[in-house]
Amino acid sequence: MKHGPLSRRTFLAAVGATAVAGCASNKTTSPIPVTSPEPGAIPADTTSASEGFNSLWIPPLLEGTTFDLTLAPSTATLLGGKDASTISYNGAPMWGPTLLMKKGDTVTVNVTNGLDEETTAHWHGVHLPAEMDGGPHQVIAAGATWSPTWTVKNNAATYWYHPHAHELTWPQLSKGAGGFIIVQDDDEAALALPRTYGVDDIPLVLTSRTFDGDAQIIAKTIYGDYLLANGTLNAEAHMPAQIVRFRMLNAEVERAYTIGFADDRTFWVIGTDGGLLNESAEVTRLAMVPGERYEIVVDLGSDAVGSVVTMQSFNGGYSLGYPGAEPNESGDFGSLLNNKTFDVLRLLVIDATADGVKNLPTSLANNALWSAADATNERTLSITASGPGAPFTFDVNDQLFSMDRIDQTVVLDTVEAWTITNNFIFGHSFHIHDVQFAIVERSSGPVPAHEQGWKDTFYIPVNEKVTFVAKFDDYASSEHPFMYHCHMANHEDEGLMGQFLVVDKA
Ligand code: C2O
Ligand code: CU
């Protein structure tokens, strides 16, 4: 099968109207529920949201091999139906276009910086040369355009792009800058999986934000008070009564999400950060830390048309150290969403589509993941801080991130095991650029089935040690480093980041 089903034509025909109406309805309906809507009532106009809800924003899809992105000031209709200033790509309210790429293609992205400060554009999870990576060294000055190009080598999966400028990731991400990358390949295309963008295949990015008295986003907040799904408050999606797919992304500053459904139904993880799992993993709860993606499928085939299924985050009952378990509702680490269960997305079930997926394929991929025995070199890092309240650092003599210091040098084509330990106060989200790895050991117990796929980001709880194995292949440079860091944007900006070179054999 070719890659046709997720074509622009399909997108325009099938969801263009929904997406546009979603945007428009943000402007005309109150985002705060004023009355309790009838459970299950389908609005007369099925492209608009039920009373008290807003249609989930579906970012427009761009495809081809040349993509144009412009990051500039924009607005999103958020708290109280008021316009909040955002920064976003190509005029989106928050969350810019989804870039659809085909494995094997050589792509170019022209990124124009329409802000009055510098930015970068990082392709999270994508395997490419360090100088195309968009880390803190590939600065795009205000008004400038940067045009990285690379050959898509990643597996079909969900990746994303976001600013990564030195000490600016946190505020720029908070204001709305980011977007999805969907890679397709022939193996994934051959499977009977939901694949109609915006209809049964939904990108879903979760963040939370806090607003000031004028309903403006407070850019450097750790935990937001209001959940935003694709930048939409009180989001509703109309989902056909069949198997549906969500490409989940936690793009929070710091909060972890424990995803599930209000009726505790089971669902299936089909893909991790860097590809499909060999087999789907059945779950009722799925924890995700900032930067992580999971592709999940949910079976709505037995749900009556007009019924409501609510996706929630079950963040209550964790001990301190879990990101978002802090008990306070205000203050630096406070939030109205902390340490409780809250709604993420309301799914209103509509008629199945003609060719809707009814059964999941039993086998999804043939990944040969690395094991500990494959590694020929080992490294250890520990996450620490000089004391409570001090910025977190990697243990290289307690040094904060420096643009001018190379922390690790890896020889091209080496398979390495990296062990990260965390014995200080708080959980983190570890992410490394360049590679997709296999998690081979967690000190707390077996690596869960849904983590046994290609990953680039993982949760490291306090008092845990995690080992992953990766091969650093294809791209060497004695000049341009890649990053590894905590993906909690505040920790990253405060210095919990290091850089490594991948160099040719001497
Ligand atoms: Cu999502 Cu270093 O990045
Ligand atoms: Cu951290």
Side-chain angles (χ1 to χ4, degrees), residues 56-139:
L56 178 74
W57 162 252
I58 302 292
L61 194 64
L62 301 181
E63 64 179 306
T65 54
T66 303
F67 301 88
D68 296 313
L69 293 176
T70 299
L71 181 61
S74 184
T75 56
T77 307
L78 295 171
L79 194 66
K82 294 193 182 140
D83 276 354
S85 302
T86 59
I87 61 174
S88 187
Y89 299 93
N90 297 14
M94 293 176 87
W95 300 105
T98 297
L99 312 182
L100 177 63
M101 297 180 179
K102 308 282 161 64
K103 186 174 183 172
D105 279 358
T106 296
V107 298
T108 302
V109 191
N110 302 306
V111 188
T112 299
N113 179 5
L115 306 178
D116 57 13
E117 62 181 10
E118 66 183 42
T119 191
T120 78
H122 169 57
W123 322 104
H124 181 127
V126 178
H127 181 49
L128 39 54
E131 65 179 307
M132 307 297 173
D133 193 41
H137 295 275
Q138 285 84 46
V139 171

Side-chain angles (χ1 to χ4, degrees), residues 16-267:
T18 309
V20 171
C23 181
S25 78
N26 279 347
K27 306 237 182 258
T28 53
T29 60
S30 162
I32 297 297
V34 275
T35 54
S36 309
E38 274 299 289
I42 297 186
D45 169 6
T46 57
T47 60
S48 69
S50 307
E51 189 180 348
F53 292 87
N54 299 300
S55 296
L56 178 74
W57 162 252
I58 302 292
L61 194 64
L62 301 181
E63 64 179 306
T65 54
T66 303
F67 301 88
D68 296 313
L69 293 176
T70 299
L71 181 61
S74 184
T75 56
T77 307
L78 295 171
L79 194 66
K82 294 193 182 140
D83 276 354
S85 302
T86 59
I87 61 174
S88 187
Y89 299 93
N90 297 14
M94 293 176 87
W95 300 105
T98 297
L99 312 182
L100 177 63
M101 297 180 179
K102 308 282 161 64
K103 186 174 183 172
D105 279 358
T106 296
V107 298
T108 302
V109 191
N110 302 306
V111 188
T112 299
N113 179 5
L115 306 178
D116 57 13
E117 62 181 10
E118 66 183 42
T119 191
T120 78
H122 169 57
W123 322 104
H124 181 127
V126 178
H127 181 49
L128 39 54
E131 65 179 307
M132 307 297 173
D133 193 41
H137 295 275
Q138 285 84 46
V139 171
I140 314 172
T145 298
W146 178 59
S147 300
T149 180
W150 68 90
T151 298
V152 180
K153 291 180 182 265
N154 287 79
N155 296 325
T158 305
Y159 306 88
W160 64 302
Y161 59 94
H162 62 79
H164 209 312
H166 187 49
E167 295 174 350
L168 288 171
T169 303
W170 184 10
Q172 292 186 353
L173 192 65
S174 287
K175 293 280 265 178
F180 284 93
I181 299 170
I182 295 176
V183 172
Q184 293 188 319
D185 65 21
D186 292 337
D187 294 338
E188 188 271 350
L191 296 167
L193 290 172
R195 203 176 288 110
T196 308
Y197 184 79
V199 174
D200 62 5
D201 183 353
I202 308 290
L204 186 60
V205 46
L206 305 182
T207 59
S208 60
R209 294 293 178 260
T210 296
F211 300 92
D212 68 14
D214 294 324
Q216 300 302 304
I217 294 169
I218 301 177
K220 284 173 96 170
T221 305
I222 294 172
Y223 298 120
D225 284 335
Y226 296 90
L227 188 283
L228 299 178
N230 297 354
T232 309
L233 263 177
N234 297 327
E236 178 184 84
H238 293 182
M239 299 303 302
Q242 63 205 45
I243 291 179
V244 296
R245 175 183 193 169
F246 292 95
R247 298 170 182 269
M248 310 285 300
L249 161 62
N250 178 345
E252 265 295 12
V253 174
E254 183 165 314
R255 188 193 310 282
Y257 288 91
T258 297
I259 297 300
F261 290 88
D263 60 7
D264 290 329
R265 70 179 55 205
T266 51
F267 55 102

